[in-house]
Amino acid sequence: EELRADVALVQEAVPPPDSNAVYRPIDKCNWGSAVVALSPKYTLRPRTRRSPVSDPSAGELIECQPGASAVADVIEIASGLPRIVAVSFYGAWEYLPQDPEKPKKRQNIYSVATSHRVLSDLTPLLVWSRKMPHKIPVLLAGDFNATTQIATDNYWDVEISEAATLFDRMRALGLRDLIAVTRESRPRLPGCSCPSPDICCHVRTYRHANRAEGRPTQLDYVYGSEQVLQQLSGCTVLDEAAAWALSDHCPIVIDLRDAD
């Protein structure tokens, strides 16, 4: 069955060929994050960004980590009204400092610091949405590269704690995990390695080296403001062969009712 979507939020993507897209490249890479309008019913209005050292008086969103997020108002062409603020979010990997005594040893990577920087950049938008819930709803989704699961054999306990703190911060900013709130609509994830099996709401969105037999891991999430929660009618994780043929991450599809 063909997937028909109005708007796509993508990460680690090359520049979209469609001009109806807001694309932010990762520094020194040929890929980045994007919001793409796939339906002719909608157009996009990009949220302008500024460097942390530029003049803040214009009210633009800071961008400390270029390309780790793309932000756009999704405008309904027929009415000219904004439907939602869409945020494509990427927890870019960073390297731990090299051990000077072992300069040839491969460096370890981490991503939570990037995600915290991006959340700091987006805080004015998210706080505004929470304080004024009658205004435009916010949908934030992407590849966080973080999980409270035991994702690898050589995991560190601190990785789980860091991920939990990141997700706590999302909730503090007024965002709800749309996969978690729809957990009763799908079977539990077999073989999940999270520390709370009784309340587990994880799904598989990532396959290491794209191997089907790998440990089931969730690195991708969809968050929405309270207004999005009120419009939510479905949340589907496309953990299926057609999706895995394209990537080692699978899509998450959110269905929203029209606002009253």
Side-chain angles (χ1 to χ4, degrees):
E1 182 179 357
E2 183 181 359
L3 174 64
R4 297 185 182 275
D6 290 329
V7 178
L9 308 183
V10 293
Q11 304 80 42
E12 294 187 274
V14 297
D18 194 329
S19 60
N20 200 1
V22 174
Y23 174 75
R24 304 294 295 177
I26 292 278
D27 187 33
K28 299 179 181 178
C29 295
N30 61 350
W31 49 267
S33 303
V35 179
V36 185
L38 302 175
S39 168
K41 297 187 299 182
Y42 298 102
T43 188
L44 301 177
R45 181 174 61 204
R47 292 292 182 108
T48 54
R49 312 299 291 270
R50 67 178 179 86
S51 75
V53 296
S54 62
D55 180 7
S57 61
E60 298 168 315
L61 291 172
I62 289 175
E63 189 176 39
C64 289
Q65 189 86 29
S69 65
V71 187
D73 295 299
V74 180
I75 309 295
E76 187 178 50
I77 293 176
S79 66
L81 297 175
R83 172 83 185 277
I84 201 167
V85 181
V87 181
S88 179
F89 188 103
Y90 177 60
W93 291 111
E94 297 184 283
Y95 287 92
L96 287 173
Q98 188 75 48
D99 184 346
E101 296 182 359
K102 301 177 181 178
K104 294 184 179 181
K105 184 179 179 180
R106 184 178 178 182
Q107 292 174 280
N108 288 303
I109 53 177
Y110 63 102
S111 64
V112 172
T114 296
S115 294
H116 279 296
R117 291 191 197 99
V118 176
L119 279 182
S120 294
D121 293 349
L122 299 175
T123 292
L125 170 66
L126 301 177
V127 169
W128 174 83
S129 175
R130 189 174 188 185
K131 286 183 175 180
M132 306 181 72
H134 58 289
K135 299 293 183 179
I136 310 172
V138 175
L139 183 72
L140 183 154
D143 174 9
F144 285 42
N145 281 318
T147 182
T148 54
Q149 300 165 296
I150 301 173
T152 61
D153 292 330
N154 61 341
Y155 84 103
W156 299 340
D157 289 341
V158 69
E159 292 181 279
I160 292 178
S161 300
E162 285 178 339
T165 300
L166 173 63
F167 300 141
D168 284 343
R169 187 178 180 189
M170 303 287 287
R171 288 188 289 270
L173 288 168
L175 297 177
R176 299 287 299 277
D177 182 342
L178 301 189
I179 294 176
V181 300
T182 57
R183 64 192 290 264
E184 298 302 330
S185 66
R186 65 183 68 87
R188 299 291 177 86
L189 179 64
C192 185
S193 59
C194 74
S196 305
D198 294 339
I199 59 172
C200 174
C201 56
H202 287 107
V203 295
R204 180 171 67 172
T205 68
Y206 170 73
R207 300 198 312 193
H208 180 64
N210 211 347
R211 296 195 302 267
E213 68 276 8
R215 181 173 289 156
T217 304
Q218 180 179 351
L219 297 181
D220 306 83
Y221 304 84
V222 181
Y223 280 86
S225 60
E226 193 64 34
Q227 310 96 299
V228 169
L229 198 64
Q230 295 169 7
Q231 297 174 232
L232 182 66
S233 62
C235 174
T236 305
V237 181
L238 298 182
D239 180 358
E240 54 192 45
W244 298 120
L246 300 174
S247 174
D248 55 357
H249 291 254
C250 72
I252 304 167
V253 179
I254 298 296
D255 295 308
L256 300 177
R257 296 182 292 271
D258 288 335
D260 296 332

